[in-house]
Amino acid sequence: MTKNFNANDFRAILRRMPEPSDAPAGHSEPSLEEQIAAYQREFRDLDPQVEQVVSALQRLNRRMNVAYGRQTATLGISNAEWEVLKALVVSGAPYRMGPGELAKRLGLTPAAMTHRIDRMASEGLVTRERDETNRVRVIVELTHEGREKWLEAMRMASVFEEDLLQDLSGEQRRILGDALTRLLRRVEEAQPDAEGRLSDLD
Amino acid sequence: MTKNFNANDFRAILRRMPEPSDAPAGHSEPSLEEQIAAYQREFRDLDPQVEQVVSALQRLNRRMNVAYGRQTATLGISNAEWEVLKALVVSGAPYRMGPGELAKRLGLTPAAMTHRIDRMASEGLVTRERDETNRVRVIVELTHEGREKWLEAMRMASVFEEDLLQDLSGEQRRILGDALTRLLRRVEEAQPDAEGRLSDLD
């Protein structure tokens, strides 16, 4: 499934990488079970089943973000740069977007977007050219190297995700995906304006 | 189940609150289905079932964080303050912890912790007193008001979470909680040092 990584290589990378945070070592939190028990003791109306869904989801997502951050760090790109690569790849060949369009997609101000594109252009991940048909307009285009970085990150992510889901059968994965998608629909309906930021890191 | 809120009140609060981000309005991203289709097109080895689990989970978590952030904002507390309230409540009566213990729990530096405690003390959420048995030692204690804020936030969160999970039966919730907990165990085993930060906001 992957060309350049296998699961053991990847696990070795994950273990080797430092925690990408300025937090001191030894950060500790109660286990999921301890937290649910404490919440039940302090808040009598708690539904422990609901709390398990919500807290497991939050903890899992937090740890997944650390893992993805370590992956992109091994490729020398930040989470912020990853979001730009992703937007350009998802837009499809020829992988071109205007800076304003990109800023809107990522929920960034034009100034923050310009700063990010400058950095990525200096690293060879994107080019920034004047539109030939309209010299006022700037076009950001993914380079071959930028696209390769995205593919490399996707291969690493696939290994990690396959490892993560190893205990679930195909049917269990389908049920899990369906359940999460139903919850997502509910929160999208309840709060259509609350997409949240794609990335808190820049 | 809740004393001071019902689901409609809460939904009204959520709709009314501005997006707690400096992102410009109109931030847009492809739908989950569009993103999975684009990933499949660009990365042939993608397992769409795995991608659905992972991407739905990330989007859901992002939107849930926006919702919780709006809730605590209506109570006049930041996410950072919420984490401190939570740690003190979970520690149990008499709701006292040393600043060093708190810093370690939240993955903060001592300086950041001191700053946060100062602010919370000025707002009446905690007190900071010298330990009577050891005058060098400082004890942070949750006030009655701080505990009430935590309870209020928990009531709001319960309404939101019940709304979120309304489409799932008890059995489906159990299956979902179990599946998420299994994934969490896997990532905890693979990366025991990667808890991630409890809060990116301060």
Side-chain angles (χ1 to χ4, degrees):
Chain A
M1 176 167 175
T2 61
K3 294 178 190 77
N4 301 330
F5 292 96
N6 67 41
N8 283 333
D9 288 345
F10 180 58
R11 280 184 213 111
I13 288 170
L14 285 178
R15 286 179 194 280
R16 208 163 51 228
M17 291 287 295
E19 163 79 357
S21 137
D22 54 2
H27 159 196
S28 63
E29 67 175 341
S31 71
L32 185 62
E33 292 69 27
E34 286 165 353
Q35 186 188 309
I36 294 171
Y39 275 22
Q40 277 194 284
R41 182 191 70 220
E42 300 293 333
F43 179 58
R44 296 297 165 125
D45 290 330
L46 189 86
D47 181 331
Q49 202 170 47
V50 170
E51 188 59 35
Q52 185 172 354
V53 169
V54 164
S55 290
L57 191 144
Q58 290 176 315
R59 285 173 183 235
L60 176 59
N61 189 75
R62 209 165 65 214
R63 283 181 176 265
M64 286 169 66
N65 285 343
V66 173
Y68 293 128
R70 289 177 177 190
Q71 294 180 330
T72 48
T74 64
L75 299 174
I77 55 177
S78 67
N79 282 13
E81 291 174 324
W82 167 250
E83 296 295 344
V84 177
L85 294 181
K86 191 165 82 175
L88 286 166
V89 168
V90 167
S91 77
Y95 311 113
R96 286 184 198 151
M97 290 176 83
E101 206 181 344
L102 266 173
K104 189 173 170 187
R105 260 288 283 109
L106 304 186
L108 291 175
T109 60
M113 196 69 240
T114 299
H115 175 71
R116 206 180 282 194
I117 292 167
D118 285 345
R119 199 174 48 194
M120 292 180 73
S122 75
E123 293 166 351
L125 300 171
V126 301
T127 57
R128 178 159 50 176
E129 306 290 347
R130 297 268 159 207
D131 187 344
E132 284 177 22
T133 61
N134 176 354
R135 302 288 299 167
V136 182
R137 202 172 122 82
V138 169
I139 300 281
V140 179
E141 183 174 328
L142 192 66
T143 61
H144 176 76
E145 189 188 340
R147 188 155 170 251
E148 284 301 313
K149 286 276 188 195
W150 182 83
L151 282 167
E152 200 85 334
M154 288 297 284
R155 287 184 204 111
M156 291 175 90
S158 290
V159 174
F160 167 67
E161 290 159 4
E162 199 43 62
D163 206 35
L164 186 67
L165 291 169
Q166 64 181 286
D167 298 320
L168 304 188
S169 67
E171 177 63 7
Q172 287 173 320
R173 293 173 188 203
R174 191 191 60 72
I175 290 169
L176 176 59
D178 283 354
L180 292 172
T181 306
R182 286 170 85 174
L183 303 193
L184 179 62
R185 297 288 169 257
R186 278 289 170 196
V187 74
E188 283 173 348
E189 278 167 26
Q191 303 187 65
D193 61 331
E195 285 189 8
R197 297 175 67 183
L198 289 176
S199 171
D200 289 315
L201 306 165
D202 201 359
Chain B
M1 177 164 175
T2 60
K3 292 178 191 79
N4 301 330
F5 292 94
N6 66 41
N8 284 333
D9 288 345
F10 180 60
R11 280 185 213 110
I13 287 170
L14 285 178
R15 286 179 194 280
R16 209 162 51 228
M17 292 287 294
E19 164 77 357
S21 135
D22 54 3
H27 159 196
S28 62
E29 67 174 339
S31 71
L32 185 61
E33 292 70 26
E34 286 164 352
Q35 186 189 309
I36 294 171
Y39 274 24
Q40 279 194 281
R41 185 189 70 221
E42 300 293 334
F43 178 59
R44 296 298 165 121
D45 290 330
L46 189 84
D47 180 332
Q49 202 171 46
V50 170
E51 189 59 35
Q52 186 172 352
V53 168
V54 166
S55 289
L57 190 143
Q58 290 176 314
R59 286 175 183 234
L60 176 59
N61 190 74
R62 209 166 64 216
R63 284 181 176 265
M64 286 170 66
N65 284 342
V66 173
Y68 293 127
R70 290 178 178 190
Q71 293 180 333
T72 47
T74 64
L75 299 174
I77 55 177
S78 68
N79 282 12
E81 291 174 324
W82 166 250
E83 295 295 344
V84 178
L85 294 181
K86 192 166 81 174
L88 286 165
V89 168
V90 166
S91 76
Y95 311 113
R96 285 182 197 154
M97 288 174 84
E101 206 181 344
L102 267 172
K104 188 173 170 188
R105 260 288 285 110
L106 304 185
L108 291 175
T109 60
M113 196 69 241
T114 300
H115 175 72
R116 205 180 282 192
I117 292 167
D118 284 346
R119 198 173 52 196
M120 293 180 71
S122 74
E123 292 165 354
L125 300 171
V126 300
T127 56
R128 178 161 47 177
E129 305 291 346
R130 296 267 159 209
D131 186 344
E132 284 177 22
T133 60
N134 175 355
R135 303 289 298 166
V136 182
R137 202 172 121 83
V138 169
I139 299 280
V140 179
E141 182 173 330
L142 192 67
T143 61
H144 177 76
E145 189 188 340
R147 187 153 172 251
E148 284 301 314
K149 286 277 186 193
W150 182 83
L151 283 167
E152 200 84 334
M154 288 297 285
R155 288 184 203 109
M156 293 175 90
S158 290
V159 174
F160 167 68
E161 290 159 4
E162 199 44 62
D163 206 35
L164 186 68
L165 291 169
Q166 65 181 285
D167 297 321
L168 304 187
S169 67
E171 177 63 4
Q172 288 173 320
R173 293 173 189 202
R174 190 190 60 72
I175 290 169
L176 177 59
D178 283 353
L180 293 171
T181 305
R182 286 170 85 175
L183 303 194
L184 178 62
R185 297 290 171 255
R186 278 289 171 195
V187 75
E188 283 174 347
E189 278 167 27
Q191 303 186 64
D193 60 331
E195 285 189 9
R197 297 176 67 182
L198 289 176
S199 171
D200 290 321
L201 306 166
D202 200 0

